[in-house]
Amino acid sequence: MTTEYDDDQLGRARVADTPELTAYYAELAGREAGALWTVANDIEPWFPQPKSVPVLWRYDELQPLVHKALDMVKADDAGRRVVMLVNPGRKDVSAAVGLLYTGLQIMGPGEAMTAHRHQAAALRFVHEGTGAWTIVDGQKLRVSPGDFAITPNGTWHEHGNESDDASVIWQDGLDIPLVNALDAGFYEVHPELYQKPGKVINSSVLTYGANLLPYGVDKWTEPYSPLLAYPWEPTYESLRSLAKASEGSPYDGLIAEYTNPVTGGSVMPTMSAHMQLLRPGQATRAHRHTGSVIYTAAKGHGVSVIAGQRFTWKKGDIFCVPSWVWHEHHNLDQGDDACLFSFNDFPVMRALGFYREEAYTDNGGHQPTA
């Protein structure tokens, strides 16, 4: 009798080794070849087998280490002074989960980083400091804590901190591991080292940031959003308004995607981002999906159960959910809401026809925990 996932059943590779086959495999290996049936069950698993594991990175523990780099490494020597967050199962590709990279970048008072561009797409989520700015293809943006900004692939960009007395820390998110897995990486330093910014600060926010599609401007044809920054205040208020009109998702609470205002699609072709709100005391039901997710606690405190493990988080903490892993969230504050920012590789999953989602149906939708 076979079970649903038994590799010994008809239809799976189940060839037993013999001395003759062992000699045959050696002949094939000598010609840089091999027999598919020896690896078929490993490379075509019954369901996703992520190498990544759930991890939580505590901001209180990382923040002093990020600040420590400020005095030890010059900005001009590092290019970007970043403490990267690395998954124990993905050290080989410097990924935080799946094929997604993240790290905490610090810029001291008055610092400015040189401009560059690369094949990888990037995004930013500001943790602390009020002087942060970035220039993307000549457009200067000012961003504050809780703000989300994008640096689409192939765009010239540089960063800095206008503050006279305080550092800036923001979280970088990139698809570098994905780009490298596809052998598609490019990197260039700006020929003049720095860009000449336009006269209007936050021009994309002024043009596209009011949920109105403007007429009389050049038609936008790029595959990424023309809106390059999404401020915290209107994002949070939008979720609070949504909470008055909807019960939201049983698996994610009140959740909304940052979108391209021209197409209504994701902000970039390879990564999308969300902000979600959990009502006071709310506990979501568990589900799983293909695609990897990196979460950042933007407000409040709570606990997430990932693959049966409890991860308690508060504002600033970062945690990851690997592909096809059960997860659920619980706001531990009975009197106030909590918010989670997240980014993921869902656009890639959907574009390739790989996206799949499943609800956890046992135990009222909640996982047993260790």
Side-chain angles (χ1 to χ4, degrees), residues 167-207:
S167 297
V168 161
I169 296 179
W170 71 29
Q171 182 180 347
D172 294 324
L174 293 95
D175 57 2
I176 291 174
L178 172 65
V179 171
N180 288 338
L182 297 173
D183 291 331
F186 292 92
Y187 187 99
E188 298 175 68
V189 175
H190 196 282
E192 297 177 10
L193 290 184
Y194 299 95
Q195 301 176 74
K196 294 180 175 63
K199 295 180 180 180
V200 180
I201 306 296
N202 286 2
S203 62
S204 78
V205 179
L206 297 172
T207 304

Side-chain angles (χ1 to χ4, degrees), residues 52-347:
S52 305
V53 296
V55 183
L56 183 141
W57 295 271
R58 299 196 181 282
Y59 190 71
D60 286 351
E61 297 175 359
L62 285 169
Q63 184 196 40
L65 295 174
V66 174
H67 275 278
K68 191 173 183 179
L70 197 60
D71 297 326
M72 299 172 64
V73 179
K74 295 180 180 178
D76 285 346
D77 292 337
R80 293 153 293 178
R81 192 191 292 106
V82 183
V83 172
M84 63 181 182
L85 310 184
V86 184
N87 195 288
R90 296 266 64 187
K91 291 181 180 180
D92 56 328
V93 292
S94 300
V97 65
L99 294 176
L100 294 173
Y101 161 98
T102 199
L104 293 170
Q105 179 170 176
I106 186 167
M107 292 169 283
E111 278 194 330
M113 308 296 181
T114 53
H116 61 271
R117 65 180 178 184
H118 39 64
Q119 186 79 313
L123 55 84
R124 327 287 172 192
F125 184 79
V126 184
H127 280 254
E128 62 180 78
T130 58
W133 58 264
T134 182
I135 302 174
V136 181
D137 271 352
Q139 181 182 157
K140 187 171 184 179
L141 302 156
R142 287 195 179 103
V143 288
S144 299
D147 291 0
F148 163 62
I150 63 171
T151 305
N153 73 308
T155 57
W156 292 111
H157 55 282
E158 60 195 89
H159 318 304
N161 177 7
E162 294 177 339
S163 173
D164 295 327
D165 57 5
S167 297
V168 161
I169 296 179
W170 71 29
Q171 182 180 347
D172 294 324
L174 293 95
D175 57 2
I176 291 174
L178 172 65
V179 171
N180 288 338
L182 297 173
D183 291 331
F186 292 92
Y187 187 99
E188 298 175 68
V189 175
H190 196 282
E192 297 177 10
L193 290 184
Y194 299 95
Q195 301 176 74
K196 294 180 175 63
K199 295 180 180 180
V200 180
I201 306 296
N202 286 2
S203 62
S204 78
V205 179
L206 297 172
T207 304
Y208 293 99
N211 293 321
L212 298 170
L213 190 60
Y215 283 77
V217 299
D218 291 339
K219 184 177 180 181
W220 187 257
T221 59
E222 299 293 345
Y224 52 83
S225 174
L227 179 57
L228 300 176
Y230 300 74
W232 160 253
E233 289 81 4
T235 301
Y236 177 55
E237 286 307 313
S238 293
L239 286 172
R240 284 170 56 87
S241 296
L242 179 60
K244 298 175 183 177
S246 171
E247 289 300 311
S249 162
Y251 311 106
D252 289 303
L254 285 305
I255 187 167
E257 182 178 359
Y258 296 92
T259 59
N260 179 331
V262 175
T263 66
S266 299
V267 291
M268 294 184 288
T270 56
M271 294 188 293
S272 62
H274 297 77
M275 184 69 77
Q276 66 194 91
L277 181 149
L278 303 172
R279 290 184 172 92
Q282 181 177 10
T284 68
R285 298 206 296 266
H287 70 147
R288 63 183 177 183
H289 47 67
T290 50
S292 304
V293 186
I294 295 172
Y295 289 89
T296 301
K299 180 179 183 291
H301 63 104
V303 61
S304 294
V305 181
I306 309 168
Q309 302 176 65
R310 291 173 56 87
F311 294 89
T312 303
W313 45 261
K314 61 182 179 179
K315 184 178 179 181
D317 290 346
I318 300 165
F319 61 95
C320 69
V321 173
S323 181
W324 206 241
V325 166
W326 298 113
H327 57 284
E328 58 194 279
H329 311 294
H330 184 189
N331 178 5
L332 295 178
D333 194 322
Q334 298 296 322
D336 198 4
D337 56 45
C339 293
L340 292 171
F341 167 80
S342 62
F343 70 95
N344 56 68
D345 54 9
F346 294 171

